[in-house]
Amino acid sequence: MTARIHAIVNPNAGGGYASNVWPQVKNLLSKYDLTYSITEKHGDAQAFAEKAIADGNEFIAVVGGDGTLNEVVQPCAGKEIIIIPVSAGTGSDFVRNFSINREGSIQDMIDRNISVNVDLGVVESTPGKRYFANIAEAGFGAEVMKRMNSHKKKRGGSSFTSTILMELYNFKKFSCSIKSEEYEETLDASEIIIANGLYFGGGIKAAPDASMNDGFLTVHIIRGAGRAKLLMNLRKLKNGSYIHDREVISFQTKKLQLDGNALVEIDGEDYGNLPSNFSIKPKALKVLGILEKDLEAS
């Protein structure tokens, strides 16, 4: 039988880049039983995903950025439906964890039903419970994303770097209580990364040791420091070498409690403020493709 696929398209993703990508994706998927929806506002992608599941689709293709994907993930967690993430945002960091971008490979993987079960992060706080597919942050990184989102700038590349520099001037460290089975302390922090995936900010390797199917969150805490020291660590973010700095605390955990006066973002979208509880939902999402880390290990 022909695979049933529903595509959810955010035409504004990537500063309009998704609008250019969509005709190519539509043509690529035209051999299947394809339907699609176009988002107009926040929340549409989640509603369309809920309907796609109810209609019995086997796949949901997400043509957008990480924010669009985050909406789609919410009703898909724990379901058999398979996500096809299409790199159409400026950052598109979730899809960087997978090998699905080679020309022609999407059709091959759909036909052969090649997919992987990946973990999802879970955050719970005043805004409510929400899944995140890639990375959550508290502190400096969340402030950067808030500035970017408020100005509707493109994510990734030079715009991400320039926003970091602008936010660096205003940012102040924050006191944070950190509790998990593996680590407990109250300290001054600049940035806390809670990672399921490896990348953020358009390919910056925020969590080089993270794995999306090991049942753990990878946590990196950059202690409170002056602007010069924070900038030095941020420069090391690109290749992930910052985690070896003595000011950085790293551990893996299944549950984490954070309390302090700091903003939180998940998958590049504003979430709210601490306090927040983080946990992992193992193998909760089916994604078309193969994890790059699994390919490297084979």
Side-chain angles (χ1 to χ4, degrees):
M1 292 180 63
T2 302
R4 295 188 63 186
I5 302 174
H6 187 79
I8 297 174
V9 185
N10 178 359
N12 297 317
Y17 176 65
S19 294
N20 297 326
V21 170
W22 167 232
Q24 303 169 43
V25 175
K26 185 179 180 182
N27 182 63
L28 192 67
L29 300 179
S30 61
K31 63 177 281 190
Y32 306 104
D33 183 1
L34 176 67
T35 56
Y36 63 89
S37 302
I38 309 295
T39 67
E40 295 181 356
K41 62 184 183 302
H42 181 76
D44 279 354
Q46 182 167 338
F48 293 151
E50 290 169 355
K51 187 175 187 304
I53 294 169
D55 289 345
N57 286 279
E58 301 162 78
F59 299 85
I60 295 180
V62 184
V63 186
D66 292 322
T68 308
L69 182 82
N70 181 270
E71 287 193 32
V72 172
V73 160
Q74 305 309 312
C76 292
K79 302 292 196 307
E80 289 300 310
I81 197 161
I82 299 172
I83 301 296
I84 306 173
V86 178
S87 181
T90 308
S92 293
D93 288 297
F94 176 81
V95 75
R96 295 175 192 272
N97 294 281
F98 299 87
S99 176
I100 58 173
N101 283 328
R102 290 187 294 272
E103 187 174 350
S105 66
I106 289 181
Q107 287 183 336
D108 181 57
M109 289 183 175
I110 292 171
D111 294 341
R112 295 165 59 195
N113 198 24
I114 296 176
S115 63
V116 59
N117 293 330
V118 300
D119 305 335
L120 287 175
V122 184
V123 59
E124 297 179 80
S125 188
T126 302
K129 176 181 176 180
R130 198 158 183 88
Y131 297 107
F132 60 95
N134 192 41
I135 284 178
E137 294 178 275
F140 182 77
E143 296 284 357
V144 169
M145 294 313 304
K146 180 181 179 181
R147 179 184 286 268
M148 292 188 72
N149 291 338
S150 66
H151 291 286
K152 297 183 179 180
K153 291 183 178 180
K154 293 182 180 180
R155 300 174 195 176
S158 60
S159 66
F160 188 81
T161 302
S162 63
T163 306
I164 283 177
L165 294 175
M166 286 188 288
E167 191 57 43
L168 189 64
Y169 181 79
N170 298 315
F171 183 75
K172 295 180 180 179
K173 61 187 178 182
F174 62 97
S175 178
C176 186
S177 170
I178 301 157
K179 293 182 180 180
S180 73
E181 288 187 6
E182 296 78 10
Y183 184 85
E184 183 171 344
E185 187 177 357
T186 297
L187 49 72
D188 287 340
S190 299
E191 163 80 341
I192 301 177
I193 295 169
I194 306 101
N196 184 39
L198 280 71
Y199 306 96
F200 67 12
I204 294 173
K205 195 170 279 190
D209 296 332
S211 172
M212 300 190 84
N213 59 357
D214 65 352
F216 288 91
L217 294 169
T218 298
V219 182
H220 296 301
I221 303 165
I222 301 178
R223 289 182 179 271
R227 292 189 182 97
K229 183 64 176 178
L230 179 57
L231 180 60
M232 185 181 299
N233 276 322
L234 291 172
R235 291 175 65 182
K236 294 178 181 178
L237 267 172
K238 190 168 185 179
N239 63 8
S241 63
Y242 81 100
I243 66 172
H244 303 299
D245 192 279
R246 61 187 179 87
E247 298 295 331
V248 177
I249 301 162
S250 302
F251 59 93
Q252 288 189 308
T253 188
K254 293 185 177 183
K255 292 184 178 181
L256 175 69
Q257 295 179 352
L258 297 180
D259 193 357
N261 183 23
L263 287 177
V264 177
E265 68 90 0
I266 57 172
D267 291 339
E269 301 296 320
D270 302 341
Y271 173 73
N273 296 278
L274 296 180
S276 297
N277 295 329
F278 298 86
S279 59
I280 194 80
K281 188 175 177 67
K283 295 180 172 52
L285 187 71
K286 289 182 176 290
V287 182
L288 188 78
I290 302 169
L291 285 169
E292 286 284 359
K293 274 207 165 185
D294 290 346
L295 284 177
E296 292 170 3
S298 62

